[in-house]
Every structure is written in structure tokens, then in C-alpha cells.
Amino acid sequence: MAEQHEKALVPQIRFTGFTDPWEQRKLGELTESYSGGTPAAGESEFYGGSIPFIRSAEIAAESTELFLTEKGYESSSARMVKPGDVLYALYGATSGEVAVSRQKGAINQAILAILPRDDCDARYITAWLRKQKGYIVTTYLQGGQGNLSGMIVKNLEVFIPSLPEQQKIGFMLSHLDSLITLHQRKYDKLCVLKKSMLDKMFPKGGSLYPEIRFAGFTDPWEQRKLGEVASGFEYGLNAAASDFDGEKKYLRITDIDDQTREFRTDDLSSPDINNPIDDRYLLKEGDILFARTGASVGKTYLYKASDGKTYYAGFLIRAHVSDEADAGFIFQSTLTERYKQFVLLTSQRSGQPGINAQEYSDLLLPLPSLMEQRRIGAFFDRLDSLITLHQRKLELLRNIKKSMLDKMFV
């Protein structure tokens, strides 16, 4: 029985050179902890002053990089923390969130400061508490919002290896967090850049001149109806979805990523039809889909050959862009503020919001020459590829981290 217990205290994977079983200890035996208080209203150093007051919401966002001095600390009921201390949110919607402090700052009673002793690594404890969040919230908060207490946290049972192994695990997961943060920032910057370029490279209001454009293009843009440069405007296939058959993909509104507008492939399906499917529901290059009803009305997607054999569902309208215009440019036009205003005004109904095929056909778009359309379409296509690349790297890193948390802890 003792041998079976020892085996149970060994993780699925671990770093080379570590073979000893882990120990089970209470968190309060490995750390010291305290919560703070609320600064008095007159303590200006805390309220808009030089000492940052760290709140539980900032732990959830991991945004505790603020300038400070210790001026005013001795007279305050708030407690100070220093870089390397573990900060644990006890109250409200952020209960169970945890982070290692990157600075000195003041905390109130909503945060528990956890100070590891000499045989305990702060980054390991942080990673363990993050892994246990679901269990802690379910067990002590019944899965909803509420408050934890310092005593509950101190009495948590921790499975812990030797300090060198803790440090290895903590360092690896911290490095993984840094990579996730790096790609998140790159992704966010690219999204901001795209929003700015959409604002500047397409005319605003009734203007026929964008704020910036590629060299060599000076002519005013021309107002055209979408129906003049696209045809079809056909409703999609009225069929339920079934398990993906390995060949025929089925694209529904929910399969279009809200941010990148890419075809999400994490939950592929096929049309649930036994008879051969009419080829008019099969997408081809130059096709743009428009969501026609509900909360997603106005949402668009540009078909790419790389998406494979794809049929589109009934709550979508397909328009095929002619050779007179560039499909990539037309698609990017549907991401502008001008288009959003069209959707907002046109979709108003007495019941559920909606836009029909004729209304999409009547959409007014400012169009430059075909050559300028292609330059703009190609520019945004490259930008979208970069955004998708960083989004996929983020998803991969998060999946790696989830797997490591499952396999590297007892």
C-alpha cells in the first residue's frame, strides 16, 4: 500500500534527474500570508499619489507594473508587498486569480499576499494555485461568485517536490507565460494597426478620398452598389449539421471567427443530407458570405481555396464578386465603420434584426480603380495572415501550457 501511495505522488512527466516522490503539505506550512486593509481617504499617496494600490482586478489582468515609492506606508492600514510575493484574489468575480507581483505596492483586504519560505518557490506555488482554481472555486464558492478567506487558502493541500524541481517547473511555466504574453501583445498591436489602417485607407462619411493611399493613385473613388460588382445574393443550404465526413465542410455563422473572420476548423461538420448536394451551395473563390439575421447580422467571410470543399448554411447570403472588382477589397470594406453603420441602420426590424439579399445588393460602397483595389486588398491580406499567425501561436502555447499543467503536477 505504501508503494502504491508513493507512485501516486509522482507526476506523469518530469525533468531528468528527479525521481523522489512528492510530499503532501498544507500551503500554510510552506508560506506566510497576510491581507491588507483599505487606506484612509486622506492618504493621498495611495489615492492618485505615488504608491500604487493593487486591486484584485489587476491580478486577473496581470497588470501590476506601476511606478511607486514607499512614502506614506507606515501610517496606512494597507499592507505593502514586494516583487516576488504571490498575490491571491479572495473576493468577488476575480476570486481565485493569482499572480507574482512584479513590484512594490499596497494591497487591501481583498488580496492575500503569500510569501513562500526558503524551501518553496513562488512561481511553482503560483502555477499550482492556477491549476487548482477550478477545484477551489467549485469547492468553496459553489462555482459562482463569492469570497474566499485566508484560512481556506492556508489549509489547501499542496503536492510539492524538492525546491530544485519546483524551481525548474516554475521557471518553465513562467517562460511559457512570457511567450504567451509576447504573442498576445503582438496580436493586440496588429489588431490595433488593422483598425487604424481600415480607418485611414477607406473614405469616411460621404468623402471619395481616403486619408492615406498608395503612391500613384490620385483619382476620386466612385460610389457603386454592391449588386453592380457582385451577383448571386443567394441564401444558403437549409440543412442540419452532422459529424464531418472528411470531405464536405459545412460553414455556419458560428464557424466564422469573430476576430479574424477565418473559417474555424476546431469543430468541423458536414451537411446532414443523404442525397447529392446542389453545387450552387458550394463556395468558390470570389464568394463573400453575409450573415442575414440575429445578433451576428452583418458578419462577413471571404472564401479561400485553402478552406477546401465548403457548403454554406441557410442563415448566410452568398455574393459572388465579379471581375470588375477585387473580392479581397470588397471584403475589407465590410470591416469598416462605414459598413457597420449600414448594418446598424438597415438591420432594424420590429423583431429580430436582419438584412435581406436585396438590401445587401443595395449596399453603397466607395470604389477606387481595380488596380488600387488590388493593392489595398493585398495589403490587408498580408496583415490578416500575420494576425492569424499570432492567434494560432497563442492557441498553441495555451494548449501546451494546459497540457504541461496536467502532466507536470501530481
Side-chain angles (χ1 to χ4, degrees), residues 237-239 245 247-248 271-282 309 311:
L237 185 62
N238 186 21
D245 63 8
E247 179 193 8
K248 298 184 291 294
D272 190 10
I273 293 180
N274 294 324
N275 300 323
I277 304 172
D278 193 324
D279 280 349
R280 66 193 173 104
Y281 298 115
L282 183 63
K309 189 174 184 178
Y311 297 87

Side-chain angles (χ1 to χ4, degrees), residues 240-293:
S242 62
D243 292 339
F244 182 48
D245 63 8
E247 179 193 8
K248 298 184 291 294
K249 297 177 183 176
Y250 198 29
L251 180 63
R252 301 155 296 174
I253 293 175
T254 53
D255 296 316
I256 303 171
D257 188 273
D258 290 331
Q259 296 299 319
T260 65
R261 299 295 175 89
E262 296 280 331
F263 186 0
R264 295 176 52 195
T265 57
D266 53 340
D267 187 25
L268 287 176
S269 63
S270 294
D272 190 10
I273 293 180
N274 294 324
N275 300 323
I277 304 172
D278 193 324
D279 280 349
R280 66 193 173 104
Y281 298 115
L282 183 63
L283 294 175
K284 56 184 181 293
E285 288 195 76
D287 284 350
I288 299 176
L289 298 180
F290 296 82
R292 65 182 179 90
T293 189

